[in-house]
Amino acid sequence: MKRKLIAAIGIAGMMVSIAACGDDKGSGGSDKGADAKELTVWLTVDAQNNWPDLVKAADAAVQKKHPGVKINHEYYGWPDKNAKLDAVLATDKAPDVVEMGNSEMLSYMVKGAFAPVDPAKFTNSDQWLDGLKTSVTYDGKTYGVPYYAGGRVGNWRKDVFASVGVKSTPKTYKELTAALDKVQKKEGKKFSAWYQPTRDWYAAMSFVYDAGGSIAVESGGQWKANLSSPESVKGLKEFKNVVDKYMHGDKTKDESDRYIVYGQGKSGMIFGAAWEGATSELPDNDKTGKLKGNLENFVMPGPSGKNLPVFLGGSDLAIPVKSDAQALAAEWINAFTGPSGQKGLIAKGNLPNNKTDLAPLKNDPATAVPATAAESNWFVPMAPGWGQVEKAQVLQTMLQNIGTGKESVEDAAKEADAAIDKVINTK
């Protein structure tokens, strides 16, 4: 996948709180809009540019069942989509289907902007990937349908590791760190054996979850921060160990330009979205002239002895509560995300939304790494105030203070917990 899955939760001030319709079971669970004659579908430009045939196939399936139905499509870039959606949701002209980054769903669900759906109406819903299923679930209800997924993997330069006698990707964390130690010793302090941006909370939280910790825990309908628990601290300390030993770049940076930095040739490895390695070796980014065909993805092993749990990004499809064609919208979504749609998405380099379709990909050399990595995954706390936590960059601040040595792991984690607890239960 050649785009970033942006964890943007905040909604513009014009977004209004919309109560879910009291008499409707929701799309996929009622007949509201079953006889609609027109459907408006908003997707991102990824679908328009990369799999327009899948969109046409879904249209055809719906129109075969409902002759004469008109289906309109609008396509938006990721930076523009939410501002346009916020504006239209304040009117009576909401689209019937809208694509959302899975990390964008929560604030809209909290505000009541999307209609609840009945998962039983959608193919393979009982096999949805855990992280994607979590992203469409709030307060015990389902408000969307997973579309496709994207995971995180390790990527290293084969030439750099071969130069210290390492010729195969690591299967255990001990193998990984042993190889990194050799590279760091050979290349010296001006080289990052592992370029790991300090503020990259997706990577840091993978270590936290691997150690049995979490960002926050829910009990009795209330959320409480959990970063200062012994398990979470253990994971944070291992993340700090990685940064201290192998990251010799600017320790105040985030991951936004990691693929560009990697392309500059001063690092041997990264851990990031599966598309980052391939993007680093493109001519515009490869400043060494050596990366093409020399980079290799691998499943990140974790200190626990299991694969490192990864943040599972991706897209979901939701139905605005103001839609007058909710039942028809649900039919279109099921046609688009069903077995044939998933097959098409896989062929385009995406991961499917469900475990049934994911399993065979682990046996295909072309897809084995991202498919295997995606099996073990985590997602953000589905708490009403999580958007405020992200907006305040609580995790990034904690990690920078840890990575730069400004605070101990324990002190930084306690401060982060206090900041999270102030807002995490606030709508």
Side-chain angles (χ1 to χ4, degrees):
M1 223 174 332
K2 299 293 177 78
R3 71 164 175 86
K4 298 177 187 176
L5 298 168
I6 305 170
I9 299 288
I11 302 180
M14 67 182 70
M15 175 67 189
V16 295
S17 180
I18 310 167
C21 299
D23 294 332
D24 291 317
K25 298 176 184 177
S27 58
S30 77
D31 292 329
K32 182 178 180 181
D35 57 351
K37 301 302 182 185
E38 190 168 350
L39 195 68
T40 298
V41 178
W42 282 19
L43 299 172
T44 68
V45 292
D46 297 324
Q48 183 182 32
N49 297 333
N50 301 318
W51 44 88
D53 52 323
L54 303 183
V55 177
K56 291 179 181 178
D59 289 352
V62 171
Q63 290 169 330
K64 181 178 181 180
K65 185 177 179 182
H66 303 276
V69 165
K70 181 181 179 182
I71 303 178
N72 308 304
H73 293 282
E74 295 184 29
Y75 296 93
Y76 295 95
W78 285 99
D80 308 320
K81 173 180 64 68
N82 285 8
K84 294 180 183 296
L85 180 61
D86 295 342
V88 79
L89 287 179
T91 74
D92 292 323
K93 299 186 182 300
D96 303 299
V97 177
V98 61
E99 177 181 352
M100 304 292 296
N102 65 341
S103 56
E104 298 172 340
M105 285 288 294
L106 180 57
S107 288
Y108 288 86
M109 294 190 292
V110 170
K111 296 292 185 181
F114 297 145
V117 302
D118 178 1
K121 300 287 186 178
F122 300 94
T123 308
N124 279 332
S125 61
D126 61 337
Q127 293 294 309
W128 284 344
L129 298 180
D130 295 339
L132 294 185
K133 181 179 180 179
T134 299
S135 75
V136 297
T137 306
Y138 177 70
D139 200 22
K141 295 182 179 180
T142 304
Y143 289 93
V145 177
Y147 175 8
Y148 65 91
R152 281 166 166 73
V153 298
N155 181 284
W156 71 7
R157 286 181 55 176
K158 291 185 286 187
D159 60 339
V160 169
F161 285 87
S163 72
V164 294
V166 179
K167 297 182 179 180
S168 59
T169 53
K171 299 297 185 289
T172 67
Y173 194 68
K174 184 177 181 180
E175 290 178 2
L176 173 63
T177 55
L180 289 165
D181 289 341
K182 291 179 181 179
V183 168
Q184 197 62 71
K185 182 178 180 180
K186 176 178 181 292
E187 298 292 341
K189 296 294 185 179
K190 292 184 178 181
F191 188 90
S192 295
W194 176 349
Y195 179 74
Q196 178 51 65
T198 310
R199 291 171 65 87
D200 177 10
W201 64 277
Y202 298 108
M205 293 305 106
S206 288
F207 281 90
V208 166
Y209 281 90
D210 182 69
S214 60
I215 299 171
V217 293
E218 187 266 341
S219 178
Q222 291 291 301
W223 288 85
K224 184 171 180 55
N226 192 47
L227 292 168
S228 58
S229 70
E231 297 83 1
S232 295
V233 166
K234 180 180 179 181
L236 289 170
K237 285 186 173 180
E238 185 54 39
F239 181 75
K240 175 176 170 53
N241 184 51
V242 167
V243 171
D244 287 347
K245 292 182 69 175
Y246 308 123
M247 167 62 176
H248 298 291
D250 183 350
K251 294 188 179 180
T252 66
K253 285 180 65 64
D254 64 19
E255 72 281 6
S256 59
D257 65 348
R258 173 169 44 212
Y259 66 98
I260 295 175
V261 176
Y262 195 31
Q264 294 171 352
K266 298 297 183 181
S267 49
M269 171 192 153
I270 60 173
F271 169 51
W275 56 265
E276 291 188 52
T279 305
S280 296
E281 67 179 25
L282 294 176
D284 287 348
N285 297 322
D286 181 8
K287 304 306 180 183
T288 70
K290 300 177 181 178
L291 299 187
K292 184 67 174 177
N294 194 30
L295 299 181
E296 186 174 15
N297 282 339
F298 60 92
V299 179
M300 276 293 292
S304 68
K306 300 177 181 179
N307 292 339
L308 195 69
V310 299
F311 175 81
L312 195 64
S315 279
D316 299 323
L317 297 171
I319 302 171
V321 73
K322 285 190 172 184
S323 166
D324 291 325
Q326 292 183 20
L328 190 64
E331 289 187 37
W332 190 91
I333 291 174
N334 194 40
F336 190 52
T337 62
S340 60
Q342 293 301 307
K343 183 178 180 180
L345 288 166
I346 291 167
K348 296 294 184 178
N350 302 291
L351 293 178
N353 66 3
N354 67 88
K355 299 172 186 176
T356 300
D357 289 326
L358 185 72
L361 300 184
K362 296 189 298 177
N363 300 318
D364 183 343
T367 56
V369 169
T372 301
E375 280 191 307
S376 179
N377 56 77
W378 62 272
F379 201 67
V380 300
M382 298 302 284
W386 177 251
Q388 297 182 56
V389 176
E390 284 210 33
K391 185 177 182 180
Q393 298 193 354
V394 174
L395 298 183
Q396 292 94 321
T397 300
M398 174 190 71
L399 293 171
Q400 182 171 320
N401 289 342
I402 290 172
T404 58
K406 182 178 180 179
E407 290 185 301
S408 69
V409 169
E410 290 85 354
D411 288 346
K414 287 179 182 177
E415 283 189 18
D417 276 354
I420 291 171
D421 283 338
K422 287 181 180 179
V423 297
I424 195 168
N425 291 299
T426 304
K427 289 187 178 182

